[in-house]
């Protein structure tokens, strides 16, 4: 086994979460520059091994008003989101990105919460893989064990938060890309309802928008406070407000359990044990838990895989227009090229696939006639060792492994529903295992209330212990 690595220490950051840091800065006990300096020093200690940072300029970006809920809290932005003056490379070697001329819409919303942006974090090429690894560059490593994957596609952000460099970092989720790294790195990862936050240009260009923006944190209150802070800057009038959720609700819920992977692949016994333990905890807390059938049939998994292939194909053929005239599709990594090649043989099915996927939201909504939440694993097995899902491995081998591994998260992306990963267990090797809670459209509040209750009943493991 590899080493566990973290940066927690006796400095300005201490062991504080984002809410505590913001309060100390607000009271004048800490300065925003002092906290940012401590975070940069922590990054200098652990990033040479974690490889989670793409770029960190000499000057941090302090943003927002001092009254903002998260003023002065240091953070990083995932490198598929524009920040003025920094390149946006999307984890790809297909071109060399120029510095962005302005902040992307979501980056502006994130910075309006008051956080200090230190730089940008790694992701696999275009976020298409479930591990932050590269064909021709060092991988991003999991701080709980540096021989293992940090998940993806927000793997760089997850590694930095788990290692204590910053308490909160940006992620986005198009197939599990907030929830998967949260599960792998022992974090709280809430994928919001589609449209809850401002979208980036790539999300708007998708035939079916899969992507939601959010953050990864170590505490429930950090996630809840971020959602409240972002909502003060912009709120989608089509969705009910989340507000500032500050603790668990007193009501007892009806919760449905999805246990078996929709693909028919086996569920790892270690993951099943964590799910069963979570179900027992929910019952101890007074909730009614019952088995639930999938709102979709096994064909959904194949439709999602075909859509995933379509997105890779479109990236290859439109890259010169979407990213840079110098974009060279031949320099895409083998996994992206493999996905695109698979699509060519099934392109004629696309209209039917898009139609079926667009209808899934109705079946999903019907699931909540008799339950308020759904609980399931995040992933079908614990986080794998580095190399298992590497884009340098034979494409068909990696593709089949991903289909077996990432079976639970895509449903929320296709339907646009909110879903939350909580670090409620561990593998035999001591690596975190996440449990996922899914809710009806617009009901992030119930997810956060449940998260508070579970965090209090079973405090999350700490990497520094």
């Amino acid at each position: 086994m590899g080493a566990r690595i973290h940066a927690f220490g006796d400095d300005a950051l201490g062991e504080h979460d984002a809410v505590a840091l913001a309060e100390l800065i607000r009271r004048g006990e800490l300065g925003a520059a002092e906290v940012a300096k401590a975070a940069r020093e922590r990054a200098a200690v652990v990033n040479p091994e974690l490889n989670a940072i793409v770029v960190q300029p000499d000057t941090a970006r302090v943003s927002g008003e001092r009254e903002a809920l998260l003023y002065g809290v240091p953070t990083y932005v995932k490198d598929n989101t524009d920040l003025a003056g920094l390149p946006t490379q999307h984890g790809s070697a297909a071109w060399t990105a120029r510095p962005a001329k302005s902040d992307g819409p979501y980056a502006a919303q994130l910075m309006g919460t008051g956080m200090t942006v230190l730089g940008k974090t790694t992701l696999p090429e275009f976020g298409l893989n479930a591990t932050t690894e590269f064909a021709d560059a060092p991988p991003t490593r999991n701080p709980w064990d540096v021989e293992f994957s940090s998940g993806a596609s927000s793997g760089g952000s997850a590694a930095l938060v788990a290692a204590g460099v910053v308490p909160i970092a940006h992620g986005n989720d198009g197939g599990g890309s907030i929830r998967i790294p949260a599960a792998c790195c022992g974090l709280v990862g809430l994928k919001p309802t589609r449209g809850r936050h401002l979208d980036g240009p790539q999300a708007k260009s998708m035939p079916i928008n899969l992507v939601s923006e959010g953050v990864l944190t170590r505490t429930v209150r950090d996630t809840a406070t971020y959602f409240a802070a972002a909502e003060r800057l912009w709120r989608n009038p089509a969705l009910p407000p989340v507000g500032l959720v500050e603790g668990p609700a007193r009501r007892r819920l009806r919760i449905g359990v999805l246990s078996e992977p929709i693909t028919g692949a086996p569920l790892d016994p270690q993951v099943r044990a964590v799910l069963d333990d979570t179900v027992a905890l929910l019952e101890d807390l007074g909730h009614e838990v019952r088995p639930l059938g999938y709102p979709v049939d096994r064909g959904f998994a194949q439709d999602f895989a075909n859509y995933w292939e379509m997105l890779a194909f479109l990236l290859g053929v439109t890259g010169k227009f979407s990213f840079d005239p110098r974009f060279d599709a031949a320099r895409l990594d083998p996994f992206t090229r493999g996905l695109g090649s698979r699509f060519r043989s099934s392109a004629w099915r696309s209209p039917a696939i898009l139609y079926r996927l667009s209808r899934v939201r109705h079946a999903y909504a019907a699931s909540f006639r008799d339950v308020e939440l759904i609980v399931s694993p995040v992933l079908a097995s614990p986080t794998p060792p580095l190399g298992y899902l590497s884009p340098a491995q034979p494409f068909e081998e990696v593709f089949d492994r991903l289909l077996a591994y990432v079976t639970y998260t895509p449903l929320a992306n296709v339907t646009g529903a909110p879903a939350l990963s909580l670090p409620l267990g561990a593998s035999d090797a001591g690596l975190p295992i996440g449990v996922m809670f899914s809710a009806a459209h617009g009901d992030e509040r119930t997810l956060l209330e449940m998260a508070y209750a579970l965090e209090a009943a079973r405090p999350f493991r700490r990497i520094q212990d």
Side-chain angles (χ1 to χ4, degrees):
M1 300 297 291
R4 182 183 296 190
I5 181 172
H6 69 79
F8 287 100
D10 186 17
D11 56 12
L13 287 170
E15 297 187 352
H16 300 303
D17 67 359
V19 171
L21 282 174
E23 180 60 26
L24 290 168
I25 292 169
R26 195 173 296 116
R27 295 203 305 255
E29 296 180 32
L30 290 174
E34 176 188 10
V35 172
K37 179 175 181 289
R40 292 166 72 90
E41 289 173 348
R42 288 188 176 192
V45 172
V46 298
N47 191 61
E49 187 156 12
L50 293 180
N51 188 40
I53 298 173
V54 175
V55 59
Q56 181 171 273
D58 293 336
T59 304
R61 291 261 322 257
V62 180
S63 55
E65 304 294 329
R66 290 194 65 87
E67 295 74 24
L69 289 178
L70 294 172
Y71 180 79
V73 175
T75 193
Y76 287 84
V77 170
K78 185 176 174 180
D79 191 30
N80 61 359
T81 300
D82 282 351
L83 284 174
L86 297 180
T88 304
Q89 198 63 54
H90 293 270
S92 179
W95 82 106
T96 300
R98 297 182 175 92
K101 294 179 181 179
S102 59
D103 296 327
Y106 180 71
Q109 185 177 15
L110 180 142
M111 289 187 292
T113 66
M115 291 192 282
T116 300
V117 177
L118 303 181
K120 303 185 81 173
T121 59
T122 53
L123 71 156
E125 187 166 69
F126 297 110
L128 293 170
N129 203 337
T131 185
T132 307
E133 296 182 59
F134 311 95
D136 54 2
T140 297
R141 298 179 180 274
N142 191 323
W144 286 86
D145 187 323
V146 296
E147 298 302 320
F148 282 75
S149 169
S150 65
S153 65
S154 309
S157 290
L160 293 178
V161 174
V165 175
V166 290
I168 183 171
H170 167 233
N172 42 38
D173 193 315
S177 295
I178 289 173
R179 292 161 289 158
I180 292 170
C184 293
C185 293
L187 303 174
V188 178
L190 173 53
K191 184 205 89 71
T193 303
R194 181 162 50 221
R196 173 66 71 187
H197 299 141
L198 291 170
D199 282 331
Q202 278 71 50
K204 293 179 179 178
S205 68
M206 288 182 174
I208 297 173
N209 178 13
L210 302 179
V211 181
S212 294
E213 304 284 348
V215 292
L216 294 116
T217 71
R218 295 191 297 269
T219 65
V220 174
R221 71 173 185 171
D222 277 2
T223 295
T225 300
Y226 176 79
F227 270 66
E231 192 171 70
R232 290 182 183 183
L233 297 161
W234 180 83
R235 185 176 78 80
N236 187 338
L239 295 174
V242 178
L244 179 57
V245 183
E246 298 184 274
R250 294 184 179 179
R251 62 183 176 139
R252 295 298 174 254
L253 303 179
R254 298 166 300 169
I255 301 172
V257 183
L258 290 179
S259 55
E260 302 305 319
I262 192 172
T263 58
L267 180 63
D268 187 281
Q270 297 172 80
V271 176
R272 187 180 297 279
V274 172
L275 178 64
D276 291 346
D277 187 54
T278 301
V279 167
L281 176 58
L282 291 168
E283 291 174 333
D284 288 345
L285 293 173
H287 302 291
E288 178 189 340
V289 187
R290 61 179 79 164
L292 188 71
Y294 273 97
V296 291
D297 60 27
R298 190 173 293 185
F300 169 81
Q302 186 58 56
D303 283 347
F304 183 82
N306 290 148
Y307 186 54
W308 181 28
E309 295 159 10
M310 178 196 298
L311 295 178
F313 173 80
L314 292 173
L315 285 166
V317 299
T318 67
K320 289 182 181 294
F321 310 100
S322 302
F323 301 107
D324 192 285
R326 299 167 298 169
F327 182 97
D328 181 0
R331 296 174 62 193
L332 293 170
D333 75 28
F335 182 73
T336 303
R337 295 199 308 270
L339 282 176
S341 295
R342 280 182 66 97
F343 174 72
R344 291 184 181 92
S345 64
S346 60
W348 61 275
R349 299 190 183 98
S350 298
I353 289 167
L354 291 174
Y355 175 77
R356 287 194 296 268
L357 290 176
S358 71
R359 303 290 296 172
V360 168
R361 68 184 188 278
H362 302 298
Y364 179 84
S367 298
F368 290 90
R369 292 173 184 162
D370 298 317
V371 300
E372 286 80 38
L373 290 177
I374 297 172
V375 62
S376 71
V378 180
L379 295 158
S381 60
T383 184
L386 291 168
Y388 182 76
L389 299 174
S390 168
Q393 297 287 344
F395 169 76
E396 292 293 342
E397 187 174 290
V398 174
F399 185 77
D400 289 344
R401 287 172 173 178
L402 284 167
L403 291 182
Y405 180 54
V406 183
T407 64
Y408 297 94
T409 54
L411 184 60
N413 297 96
V414 173
T415 62
L420 168 70
S421 176
L422 292 176
L424 293 174
S427 71
D428 296 342
L431 288 155
I433 291 178
V435 175
M436 186 165 70
F437 292 82
S438 304
H441 287 77
D443 196 14
E444 286 89 341
R445 172 169 281 271
T446 298
L447 288 173
L448 289 166
E449 289 169 347
M450 176 57 71
Y452 272 115
L454 292 168
E455 183 183 36
R458 183 161 298 159
F460 305 148
R461 293 168 67 225
R462 306 188 329 152
I463 198 170
Q464 64 270 43
D465 291 342

